[in-house]
């Protein structure tokens, strides 16, 4: 049910949640507490019944830390990329990885990409 609600609301809500998660994340470790996660959902008018929230939290939360990773959250909502998109991302990455090191420094990205 929650997944369908988010999909109907669109990509802007998902990207907005991502920006909001990064803004409220206190420790800059990529994870959110249950209170922060609940607050973010309310900001975007994604209020769900407490029982449903608890079920969602159990699915998303990391068992070791009782936190939610935004990357895991988006994968749970959208699923994995299809093969076409994966191939496209690999092709773009191969062009950016000039030195074939498996890492792409920001300097190399700036050589290929202009956000203007």
């Amino acid at each position: 049910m929650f997944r369908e609600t988010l999909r109907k609301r669109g990509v802007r809500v998902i990207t907005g949640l991502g920006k909001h998660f990064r803004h409220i994340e206190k420790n800059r470790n990529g994870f959110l507490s249950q209170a922060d996660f609940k607050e973010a959902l309310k900001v975007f008018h994604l209020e769900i019944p407490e029982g449903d929230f608890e079920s969602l939290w159990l699915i998303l939360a990391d068992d070791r830390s009782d936190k939610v990773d935004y990357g895991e959250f988006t994968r749970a909502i959208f699923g994995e990329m299809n093969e076409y998109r994966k191939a496209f991302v690999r092709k773009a990455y191969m062009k950016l990885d000039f030195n074939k090191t498996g890492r792409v420094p920001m300097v190399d990205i700036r050589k290929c990409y202009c956000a203007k």
Side-chain angles (χ1 to χ4, degrees):
M1 182 175 99
F2 184 70
R3 180 186 246 178
E4 287 78 28
T5 301
L6 275 180
R7 284 185 177 175
K8 286 179 187 175
R9 297 280 301 274
V11 173
R12 286 187 182 177
V13 171
I14 297 295
T15 56
L17 271 172
K19 288 178 185 176
H20 188 76
F21 283 169
R22 286 186 294 278
H23 176 73
I24 64 174
E25 184 208 357
K26 310 265 188 292
N27 299 327
R28 297 288 175 226
N29 61 2
F31 295 90
L32 291 171
S33 69
Q34 187 174 15
D36 289 340
F37 184 67
K38 196 177 278 192
E39 174 193 333
L41 294 179
K42 284 183 182 177
V43 166
F44 285 86
H45 307 286
L46 295 167
E47 296 180 38
I48 58 176
E50 189 61 32
D52 291 345
F53 178 82
E54 291 300 324
S55 296
L56 177 64
W57 184 257
L58 289 173
I59 292 168
L60 296 174
D62 181 3
D63 294 333
R64 296 178 308 272
S65 64
D66 199 34
K67 305 265 182 176
V68 166
D69 175 3
Y70 181 69
E72 290 297 322
F73 171 73
T74 56
R75 276 188 289 285
I77 299 304
F78 290 119
E80 293 293 325
M81 284 192 282
N82 63 36
E83 288 305 314
Y84 176 77
R85 286 187 69 199
K86 284 181 185 178
F88 194 78
V89 169
R90 281 188 203 101
K91 187 175 179 179
Y93 186 84
M94 288 170 53
K95 286 190 179 229
L96 291 172
D97 189 11
F98 298 122
N99 302 323
K100 307 298 181 220
T101 61
R103 303 179 87 199
V104 180
M106 189 58 71
V107 173
D108 290 348
I109 293 173
R110 287 187 182 122
K111 290 176 186 175
C112 294
Y113 180 75
C114 178
K116 293 178 185 176

